[in-house]
């Protein structure tokens, strides 16, 4: 009977250990995250001194981060009101982008893969955008075509906005950014 109890304890400990290790590295870790309005970033994800959870997550080969001096990736899963991004809605992305040599704004699925849409546009870059009269962004993201800077969305379901800032001086102190220093994401309407 004693051997059976010992085997049970060992199996339970191994199972809980493996499950917690998988949970710790299955998604981007909470440790080292900076939340700036609707945008989330991990400024040290590409640095040599990144935390062990981020190194384990990256060792899985899921994503290759921008290096500390190369830039910064910001991810938005929700709009500025805190509502999850949904393809049935139209969104306005407006405002300013922090100083950077270049940037891109991409629409992706929740796993950060490109969307499979009929229209072959999934992003805008600093070189393609038509700016408003003050030099700021004004992008409409919707499932149906819109005039101006339009990013297509899936007809329904969740998606992400990925804002990549290349060669930016803010990568080392991204946690100190204020929400007004990044583009705002506002829900226009839903069908």
């Amino acid at each position: 009977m004693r051997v059976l109890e010992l085997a049970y304890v060992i199996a339970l400990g191994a199972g809980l250990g493996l499950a917690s290790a998988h949970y710790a590295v299955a998604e981007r870790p909470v440790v080292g995250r900076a939340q700036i309005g609707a945008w989330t970033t991990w400024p040290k994800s590409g640095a040599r001194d990144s935390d062990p959870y981020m190194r384990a997550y990256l060792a899985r080969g899921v994503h290759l981060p921008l290096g500390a001096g190369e830039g910064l990736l910001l991810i938005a899963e929700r709009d500025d009101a805190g509502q999850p991004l949904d393809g049935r809605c139209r969104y306005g992305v407006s405002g300013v982008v922090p100083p950077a040599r270049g940037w891109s704004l991409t629409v992706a699925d929740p796993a950060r893969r490109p969307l499979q849409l009929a229209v072959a546009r999934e992003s805008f870059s600093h070189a393609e955008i038509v700016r408003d009269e003050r030099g700021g962004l004004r992008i409409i993201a919707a499932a149906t075509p819109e005039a101006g800077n339009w990013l297509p969305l899936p007809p329904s379901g969740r998606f992400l906005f990925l804002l990549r800032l290349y060669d930016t001086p803010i990568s080392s102190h991204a946690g100190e950014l204020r929400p007004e220093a990044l583009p705002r994401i506002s829900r226009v309407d839903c069908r």
Side-chain angles (χ1 to χ4, degrees):
M1 187 67 175
R2 203 90 167 114
V3 172
L4 193 57
E5 290 175 2
L6 183 61
Y8 174 74
V9 169
I10 290 172
L12 181 64
L16 289 174
L18 289 172
S20 67
H22 174 73
Y23 176 75
V25 299
E27 296 293 325
R28 285 185 173 263
V30 175
V31 177
R33 179 177 73 182
Q35 188 72 39
I36 310 153
W39 300 96
T40 305
T41 187
W42 290 262
K44 291 191 172 195
S45 64
R48 288 185 200 181
D49 62 342
S50 65
D51 66 85
Y53 293 104
M54 180 56 78
R55 285 196 307 269
Y57 170 76
L58 295 172
R60 294 181 60 227
V62 179
H63 304 288
L64 182 63
L66 291 169
E70 296 173 332
L72 187 65
L73 170 66
L74 297 119
I75 301 172
E77 298 177 339
R78 299 176 176 275
D79 61 20
D80 284 341
Q83 298 296 316
L85 298 175
D86 187 342
R88 295 174 295 181
C89 301
R90 289 185 327 147
Y91 295 91
V93 180
S94 60
V96 296
V97 175
R101 183 176 302 251
W103 58 265
S104 66
L105 178 68
T106 306
V107 177
D109 72 6
R112 292 182 41 200
R113 294 182 305 249
L115 295 171
Q116 302 299 317
L117 300 172
V119 178
R121 171 166 292 282
E122 60 199 31
S123 68
F124 271 109
S125 73
H126 67 283
E128 301 170 310
I129 194 94
V130 176
R131 298 183 181 276
D132 65 15
E133 50 281 344
R134 289 193 220 152
L137 310 180
R138 182 149 305 177
I139 297 171
I140 292 291
T144 55
E146 299 275 336
N149 298 320
W150 169 64
L151 272 176
L153 296 180
S156 66
R158 303 284 305 272
F159 68 92
L160 306 173
F161 284 121
L162 306 174
L163 178 62
R164 290 180 181 90
L165 304 173
Y166 301 103
D167 194 16
T168 179
I170 67 162
S171 60
S172 61
H173 58 276
E176 300 169 11
L177 278 177
R178 299 170 76 67
E180 50 272 3
L182 293 171
R184 299 201 41 86
I185 303 169
S186 54
R187 183 179 286 192
V188 177
D189 57 26
C190 292
R191 48 183 159 92

